[in-house]
Structures are given as structure tokens and as C-alpha cells.
Coordinates of all heavy atoms in Angstrom, one line a residue:
K15 N -37.7 48.6 37.2 CA -38.1 47.2 37.0 C -38.4 47.0 35.4 O -39.1 47.7 34.8 CB -39.4 47.1 37.8 CG -39.9 45.6 37.9 CD -41.1 45.6 38.8 CE -41.6 44.1 38.8 NZ -42.8 44.0 39.5
K16 N -37.9 45.8 35.0 CA -38.1 45.5 33.6 C -39.4 44.9 33.4 O -39.9 44.1 34.2 CB -37.0 44.5 33.2 CG -35.7 45.0 33.1 CD -34.7 43.9 32.6 CE -33.3 44.3 33.1 NZ -32.5 43.2 32.9
P17 N -40.1 45.3 32.2 CA -41.5 44.8 32.0 C -41.3 43.3 31.5 O -40.4 42.9 31.0 CB -41.8 45.6 30.7 CG -40.9 46.6 30.5 CD -39.7 46.3 31.3
K18 N -42.4 42.6 31.7 CA -42.3 41.2 31.4 C -42.9 40.8 30.0 O -42.5 39.9 29.4 CB -43.1 40.4 32.5 CG -42.5 40.5 33.8 CD -42.8 39.4 34.7 CE -42.4 39.7 36.1 NZ -41.4 38.9 36.7
D19 N -43.9 41.6 29.5 CA -44.4 41.3 28.2 C -43.5 41.9 27.1 O -43.0 42.9 27.4 CB -46.0 41.7 28.0 CG -46.3 42.9 27.7 OD1 -45.9 43.4 26.5 OD2 -46.9 43.7 28.4
I20 N -43.5 41.2 25.9 CA -42.6 41.4 24.9 C -42.8 43.0 24.3 O -41.7 43.5 24.1 CB -42.6 40.5 23.8 CG1 -41.3 40.6 22.8 CG2 -43.9 40.5 23.0 CD1 -40.2 40.0 23.4
K21 N -43.9 43.3 24.2 CA -44.3 44.7 23.6 C -43.6 45.8 24.6 O -43.0 46.6 24.1 CB -45.8 44.9 23.5 CG -46.3 46.1 22.9 CD -47.7 46.2 22.9 CE -48.1 47.7 22.4 NZ -49.6 47.8 22.3
K22 N -44.0 45.6 25.9 CA -43.5 46.5 26.8 C -41.9 46.4 27.0 O -41.2 47.6 27.1 CB -44.1 46.5 28.2 CG -45.6 46.7 28.3 CD -45.7 48.1 28.0 CE -47.2 48.6 28.1 NZ -47.6 49.9 27.8
L23 N -41.4 45.4 26.8 CA -40.0 45.2 26.9 C -39.2 45.8 25.6 O -38.3 46.5 25.7 CB -39.5 43.7 26.9 CG -38.1 43.4 27.2 CD1 -37.5 44.1 28.5 CD2 -37.9 41.8 27.2
Q24 N -39.8 45.6 24.5 CA -39.4 46.3 23.3 C -39.3 47.9 23.5 O -38.3 48.6 23.1 CB -40.1 45.9 22.0 CG -39.9 44.5 21.6 CD -40.9 44.0 20.5 OE1 -42.1 44.4 20.7 NE2 -40.5 43.4 19.5
E25 N -40.4 48.4 23.9 CA -40.6 49.8 24.2 C -39.5 50.2 25.2 O -38.8 51.4 25.0 CB -41.8 50.2 24.7 CG -43.0 50.0 23.6 CD -44.5 50.1 24.2 OE1 -44.6 50.4 25.5 OE2 -45.4 49.8 23.5
H26 N -39.3 49.5 26.2 CA -38.4 49.8 27.3 C -37.0 49.9 26.6 O -36.1 50.9 27.0 CB -38.5 48.7 28.5 CG -37.5 48.9 29.4 ND1 -37.6 49.8 30.5 CD2 -36.3 48.3 29.7 CE1 -36.7 49.8 31.3 NE2 -35.9 48.8 30.9
I27 N -36.6 49.0 25.9 CA -35.2 48.8 25.4 C -35.0 50.0 24.5 O -34.0 50.8 24.6 CB -35.0 47.6 24.6 CG1 -35.0 46.4 25.4 CG2 -33.8 47.6 23.7 CD1 -35.1 45.0 24.9
I28 N -35.9 50.4 23.6 CA -35.7 51.5 22.6 C -35.7 52.8 23.4 O -35.0 53.8 23.0 CB -36.7 51.5 21.4 CG1 -36.3 50.3 20.6 CG2 -36.6 52.8 20.7 CD1 -37.2 50.1 19.4
S29 N -36.5 52.9 24.4 CA -36.6 54.2 25.1 C -35.3 54.5 26.1 O -35.2 55.6 26.5 CB -37.9 54.1 26.1 OG -37.6 53.3 27.1
R30 N -34.5 53.5 26.1 CA -33.2 53.7 26.7 C -32.1 54.4 25.9 O -31.1 54.8 26.4 CB -32.6 52.4 27.3 CG -33.5 51.8 28.3 CD -33.5 52.7 29.6 NE -34.2 52.3 30.6 CZ -35.1 53.1 31.3 NH1 -35.2 54.4 30.9 NH2 -35.9 52.6 32.2
F31 N -32.4 54.6 24.5 CA -31.5 55.2 23.6 C -31.5 56.8 23.9 O -32.6 57.2 24.4 CB -31.8 55.1 22.2 CG -31.4 53.7 21.7 CD1 -32.2 52.6 21.8 CD2 -30.2 53.6 21.0 CE1 -31.8 51.3 21.3 CE2 -29.8 52.4 20.6 CZ -30.6 51.2 20.7
P32 N -30.3 57.4 24.0 CA -30.3 58.8 24.3 C -31.2 59.7 23.4 O -31.2 59.5 22.2 CB -28.9 59.2 24.1 CG -28.2 58.2 23.3 CD -29.1 57.0 23.6
G33 N -32.0 60.5 24.0 CA -33.0 61.4 23.2 C -34.3 60.7 22.9 O -35.0 61.3 22.2
V34 N -34.5 59.4 23.3 CA -35.7 58.7 22.9 C -36.6 58.5 24.1 O -36.3 57.8 25.1 CB -35.3 57.3 22.2 CG1 -36.7 56.6 21.8 CG2 -34.5 57.5 21.0
S35 N -37.8 59.2 24.0 CA -38.8 59.0 25.1 C -39.6 57.7 25.0 O -39.5 57.1 23.8 CB -39.6 60.2 25.1 OG -40.4 60.2 23.9
T36 N -40.4 57.5 25.9 CA -41.3 56.4 25.8 C -42.3 56.5 24.5 O -42.5 55.5 23.8 CB -42.1 56.2 27.0 OG1 -41.2 56.0 28.1 CG2 -43.0 55.0 26.9
K37 N -42.7 57.8 24.4 CA -43.6 58.2 23.3 C -43.0 57.9 21.9 O -43.5 57.3 21.1 CB -44.2 59.5 23.4 CG -45.3 60.0 22.5 CD -45.6 61.3 22.6 CE -46.6 61.5 23.9 NZ -47.2 62.9 23.9
I38 N -41.7 58.3 21.8 CA -41.0 58.2 20.6 C -40.6 56.7 20.4 O -40.7 56.2 19.2 CB -39.7 59.0 20.6 CG1 -40.1 60.5 20.5 CG2 -38.8 58.7 19.4 CD1 -39.1 61.5 20.6
S39 N -40.3 55.9 21.4 CA -39.9 54.5 21.2 C -41.2 53.7 20.6 O -41.1 52.8 19.8 CB -39.6 53.8 22.5 OG -40.7 53.7 23.5
K40 N -42.4 54.2 21.1 CA -43.5 53.5 20.5 C -43.9 53.8 19.1 O -44.2 53.0 18.2 CB -44.9 54.0 21.3 CG -44.9 53.5 22.7 CD -46.2 53.9 23.4 CE -46.2 53.4 24.7 NZ -47.4 53.8 25.5
R41 N -43.5 55.1 18.6 CA -43.6 55.5 17.3 C -42.6 54.7 16.4 O -42.8 54.4 15.3 CB -43.3 57.0 17.1 CG -44.5 57.9 17.7 CD -44.2 59.3 17.6 NE -45.0 60.1 18.3 CZ -44.8 61.4 18.8 NH1 -43.6 61.9 18.7 NH2 -45.9 62.0 19.4
I42 N -41.3 54.6 16.9 CA -40.3 53.8 16.3 C -40.8 52.3 16.0 O -40.6 51.9 14.9 CB -39.0 53.8 17.1 CG1 -38.3 55.2 17.0 CG2 -37.9 52.7 16.6 CD1 -37.2 55.4 18.0
L43 N -41.4 51.7 17.1 CA -41.8 50.3 16.9 C -43.1 50.3 15.8 O -43.2 49.3 15.1 CB -42.2 49.8 18.2 CG -40.8 49.4 18.9 CD1 -41.2 49.1 20.4 CD2 -40.2 48.2 18.3
E44 N -43.9 51.3 15.9 CA -45.1 51.3 15.0 C -44.5 51.4 13.5 O -45.1 50.7 12.7 CB -46.0 52.6 15.2 CG -46.8 52.3 16.5 CD -47.5 53.5 17.0 OE1 -47.4 54.5 16.3 OE2 -48.2 53.6 18.1
K45 N -43.4 52.1 13.3 CA -42.9 52.3 11.9 C -42.0 51.0 11.6 O -42.2 50.6 10.4 CB -42.1 53.6 11.9 CG -41.3 53.6 10.5 CD -41.2 55.0 10.1 CE -40.5 55.2 8.8 NZ -41.2 54.6 7.7
F46 N -41.1 50.7 12.5 CA -40.2 49.5 12.1 C -40.6 48.2 12.5 O -39.9 47.2 12.0 CB -38.8 50.0 12.5 CG -38.2 51.2 12.0 CD1 -38.1 52.4 12.8 CD2 -37.8 51.3 10.5 CE1 -37.7 53.6 12.2 CE2 -37.3 52.5 10.1 CZ -37.3 53.6 10.9
K47 N -41.5 48.2 13.4 CA -42.0 46.8 13.9 C -41.2 45.9 14.7 O -41.6 45.2 15.6 CB -42.5 45.9 12.7 CG -43.4 46.6 11.8 CD -44.8 47.0 12.4 CE -45.8 47.7 11.4 NZ -46.7 48.6 12.1
T48 N -39.9 46.0 14.5 CA -39.0 45.3 15.3 C -37.6 46.0 15.7 O -37.4 47.0 15.0 CB -38.4 44.0 14.6 OG1 -37.5 44.4 13.5 CG2 -39.5 43.1 14.2
I49 N -37.1 45.6 16.7 CA -35.7 46.3 17.2 C -34.7 46.1 16.0 O -34.0 47.1 15.8 CB -35.3 45.8 18.5 CG1 -36.3 46.2 19.6 CG2 -33.9 46.3 18.9 CD1 -36.1 45.6 21.0
K50 N -34.7 45.0 15.5 CA -33.8 44.7 14.3 C -34.0 45.6 13.3 O -33.0 46.3 12.6 CB -33.8 43.3 13.8 CG -32.8 43.0 12.7 CD -33.0 41.5 12.3 CE -32.0 41.3 11.2 NZ -32.0 40.0 10.5
E51 N -35.2 45.9 12.8 CA -35.5 46.8 11.6 C -35.1 48.3 12.1 O -34.5 48.9 11.2 CB -37.0 46.8 11.3 CG -37.4 45.5 10.6 CD -36.8 45.3 9.2 OE1 -36.7 46.2 8.5 OE2 -36.4 44.1 9.0
F52 N -35.4 48.6 13.2 CA -35.0 50.0 13.9 C -33.5 50.0 13.6 O -32.8 51.1 13.2 CB -35.4 50.1 15.2 CG -34.7 51.2 16.0 CD1 -34.9 52.5 15.5 CD2 -34.0 50.8 17.1 CE1 -34.3 53.6 16.3 CE2 -33.4 51.9 17.9 CZ -33.5 53.2 17.4
S53 N -32.7 49.1 14.1 CA -31.3 49.1 14.1 C -30.7 49.2 12.7 O -29.5 49.7 12.6 CB -30.7 48.0 14.9 OG -30.8 46.7 14.2
E54 N -31.4 48.8 11.7 CA -31.0 48.8 10.4 C -31.5 50.0 9.6 O -31.0 50.1 8.4 CB -31.4 47.5 9.6 CG -30.7 46.2 10.2 CD -31.3 44.9 9.7 OE1 -32.3 45.0 9.0 OE2 -30.6 43.9 9.9
A55 N -32.2 50.8 10.2 CA -32.8 52.0 9.5 C -31.6 53.1 9.2 O -30.7 53.2 9.8 CB -33.8 52.8 10.5
T56 N -31.9 53.7 8.0 CA -30.9 54.8 7.6 C -31.3 56.0 8.4 O -32.5 56.1 9.0 CB -31.2 55.2 6.1 OG1 -32.4 55.7 5.9 CG2 -30.8 53.8 5.2
E57 N -30.4 57.0 8.4 CA -30.8 58.4 9.0 C -32.1 58.9 8.5 O -32.9 59.5 9.2 CB -29.6 59.3 8.8 CG -28.5 59.0 9.6 CD -27.3 60.0 9.5 OE1 -27.7 61.3 9.4 OE2 -26.1 59.7 9.4
E58 N -32.2 58.8 7.1 CA -33.4 59.4 6.4 C -34.6 58.7 6.9 O -35.7 59.3 7.2 CB -33.3 59.2 4.9 CG -34.4 59.8 4.2 CD -34.2 59.8 2.6 OE1 -33.1 59.8 2.1 OE2 -35.3 59.7 2.0
E59 N -34.6 57.4 7.1 CA -35.7 56.6 7.5 C -36.1 57.0 9.0 O -37.3 57.1 9.4 CB -35.5 55.1 7.4 CG -35.5 54.6 6.0 CD -35.0 53.2 5.8 OE1 -34.2 52.7 6.6 OE2 -35.5 52.5 4.9
L60 N -35.1 57.2 9.8 CA -35.3 57.6 11.2 C -36.0 59.0 11.3 O -36.9 59.1 12.1 CB -34.0 57.6 11.9 CG -33.4 56.3 12.2 CD1 -31.9 56.4 12.7 CD2 -34.2 55.4 13.2
T61 N -35.7 59.9 10.4 CA -36.3 61.2 10.4 C -37.7 61.1 10.0 O -38.4 62.1 10.3 CB -35.6 62.3 9.5 OG1 -35.6 61.7 8.1 CG2 -34.0 62.4 9.9
R62 N -38.3 60.1 9.5 CA -39.7 60.0 9.2 C -40.5 59.6 10.3 O -41.7 59.6 10.3 CB -39.9 58.9 8.0 CG -39.2 59.3 6.7 CD -39.4 58.3 5.7 NE -38.6 58.6 4.5 CZ -38.1 57.7 3.7 NH1 -38.2 56.4 4.1 NH2 -37.3 57.9 2.8
V63 N -39.9 59.4 11.5 CA -40.6 59.1 12.8 C -40.9 60.4 13.4 O -39.8 61.3 13.6 CB -39.7 58.2 13.7 CG1 -40.5 58.1 15.1 CG2 -39.6 56.8 13.0
D64 N -42.0 60.7 13.7 CA -42.4 61.9 14.4 C -41.7 62.0 15.7 O -41.8 61.2 16.5 CB -44.0 62.0 14.7 CG -44.5 63.2 15.2 OD1 -43.8 64.3 14.8 OD2 -45.5 63.3 15.9
G65 N -41.0 63.2 15.8 CA -40.2 63.5 17.1 C -38.7 63.1 16.9 O -37.9 63.4 17.7
I66 N -38.3 62.6 15.7 CA -36.9 62.4 15.4 C -36.5 63.4 14.3 O -36.9 63.3 13.2 CB -36.6 61.0 15.1 CG1 -37.0 60.0 16.1 CG2 -35.0 60.8 14.7 CD1 -36.6 58.5 15.9
G67 N -35.6 64.3 14.8 CA -35.1 65.3 13.7 C -33.8 64.7 13.2 O -33.3 63.7 13.5
K68 N -33.1 65.5 12.4 CA -31.9 65.2 11.7 C -30.8 64.9 12.7 O -30.2 63.9 12.6 CB -31.5 66.2 10.7 CG -32.3 66.3 9.5 CD -31.8 67.4 8.5 CE -32.5 67.4 7.3 NZ -32.1 68.3 6.3
S69 N -30.7 65.7 13.8 CA -29.6 65.6 14.7 C -29.9 64.3 15.6 O -28.8 63.6 15.7 CB -29.7 66.8 15.7 OG -28.8 66.7 16.7
L70 N -30.9 64.0 16.1 CA -31.2 62.8 16.7 C -31.0 61.5 15.8 O -30.5 60.5 16.3 CB -32.6 62.7 17.5 CG -32.9 61.6 18.2 CD1 -32.0 61.3 19.2 CD2 -34.3 61.7 18.9
A71 N -31.6 61.7 14.6 CA -31.4 60.5 13.6 C -29.8 60.3 13.4 O -29.5 59.0 13.3 CB -32.0 60.8 12.3
K72 N -29.1 61.3 13.3 CA -27.7 61.1 13.1 C -27.0 60.4 14.3 O -26.3 59.5 14.2 CB -27.0 62.5 12.9 CG -25.5 62.4 12.5 CD -24.9 63.8 12.2 CE -23.5 63.7 11.8 NZ -23.4 64.1 10.3
K73 N -27.4 60.9 15.5 CA -26.9 60.4 16.7 C -27.3 58.8 16.9 O -26.4 58.1 17.2 CB -27.4 61.2 17.9 CG -26.9 60.7 19.2 CD -27.6 61.6 20.4 CE -26.7 62.1 21.3 NZ -27.5 62.9 22.3
L74 N -28.5 58.6 16.7 CA -28.9 57.1 16.8 C -28.3 56.3 15.7 O -27.9 55.1 16.1 CB -30.5 57.1 16.7 CG -31.4 57.6 17.7 CD1 -32.8 57.7 17.4 CD2 -31.2 56.8 19.0
H75 N -28.2 56.8 14.5 CA -27.6 55.9 13.4 C -26.1 55.6 13.7 O -25.6 54.5 13.6 CB -27.7 56.7 12.1 CG -27.3 55.9 11.0 ND1 -26.0 55.8 10.5 CD2 -28.0 54.9 10.2 CE1 -25.9 55.1 9.4 NE2 -27.1 54.4 9.2
K76 N -25.4 56.7 14.2 CA -24.0 56.5 14.7 C -23.9 55.5 15.8 O -23.0 54.5 15.8 CB -23.4 57.8 15.0 CG -21.9 57.7 15.3 CD -21.3 59.0 15.7 CE -19.8 58.9 15.9 NZ -19.1 60.2 16.1
L77 N -24.7 55.6 16.8 CA -24.7 54.8 18.0 C -25.0 53.3 17.6 O -24.3 52.3 18.0 CB -25.7 55.1 18.9 CG -25.8 54.4 20.2 CD1 -24.5 54.4 21.0 CD2 -27.0 54.9 21.1
L78 N -25.8 53.0 16.6 CA -26.3 51.8 16.2 C -25.3 51.1 15.2 O -25.2 49.8 15.0 CB -27.6 51.8 15.5 CG -28.8 52.0 16.5 CD1 -30.0 52.5 15.7 CD2 -29.1 50.8 17.3
N79 N -24.4 51.9 14.6 CA -23.6 51.3 13.5 C -22.2 51.5 13.8 O -21.4 50.9 13.0 CB -24.0 52.0 12.1 CG -25.3 51.6 11.6 OD1 -25.5 50.5 11.1 ND2 -26.3 52.4 11.8
E80 N -21.7 52.4 14.6 CA -20.3 52.5 14.9 C -19.7 51.3 15.6 O -20.3 50.8 16.6 CB -20.1 53.8 15.7 CG -18.6 54.2 15.8 CD -18.3 55.5 15.5 OE1 -19.0 56.2 14.7 OE2 -17.2 56.0 16.1
R81 N -18.6 50.8 15.0 CA -17.9 49.7 15.8 C -17.3 50.1 17.1 O -16.9 51.3 17.3 CB -16.8 49.3 14.8 CG -17.2 48.6 13.6 CD -16.0 47.9 12.9 NE -16.5 47.1 11.8 CZ -17.0 45.9 11.9 NH1 -17.3 45.3 13.0 NH2 -17.4 45.3 10.7
Y82 N -17.4 49.2 18.0 CA -16.8 49.3 19.3 C -15.3 49.1 19.2 O -14.8 48.1 18.6 CB -17.5 48.3 20.3 CG -16.9 48.3 21.7 CD1 -17.2 49.3 22.5 CD2 -16.0 47.4 22.0 CE1 -16.7 49.3 23.9 CE2 -15.4 47.4 23.3 CZ -15.8 48.3 24.3 OH -15.3 48.4 25.5
V83 N -14.6 50.0 19.8 CA -13.1 50.0 19.7 C -12.6 50.1 21.1 O -12.9 50.9 21.9 CB -12.5 51.1 18.8 CG1 -11.0 51.1 18.8 CG2 -13.0 51.1 17.5
E84 N -11.8 49.1 21.4 CA -11.2 49.2 22.9 C -10.0 50.1 23.0 O -9.4 50.4 22.2 CB -10.6 47.7 23.2 CG -11.8 46.6 23.3 CD -11.4 45.4 23.8 OE1 -10.6 45.3 24.7 OE2 -11.7 44.3 23.2

């Protein structure tokens, strides 16, 4: 069931990324404030979030930035 309030919905969306728990999604939003800012973060910026190591940062960055090819 999708949350109705915007804060919970933002957390829900980010927690759906592979390797991102609800706890980490809250930390991401505390640091970047918006989903847009999160999506524009560099790998280095992502590693500054507690719970995101180099491997997860690389995976998230690739997922957010790689072009979709049919």
C-alpha cells in the first residue's frame, strides 16, 4: 500500500532502489532533501550517506544515470 503523505511517499520511492532500506532512504532524504537532488548526486556524494558504501553508490549512480536502451 502506497503512503499518502508526501514525506512517507518520498521515503517509499527511494527505499525501492536496490540495496536501499527504509532507514537509508530517510538518511538520503535528510542529506539531499529531494528525490531530484538525490538523483543528481555523484558517487562521492552518495558515499557520504551513512550506510552507502562505494559499491552501492556506484550501483545507484549507474541506475540513475544510465540511458535506457531498447
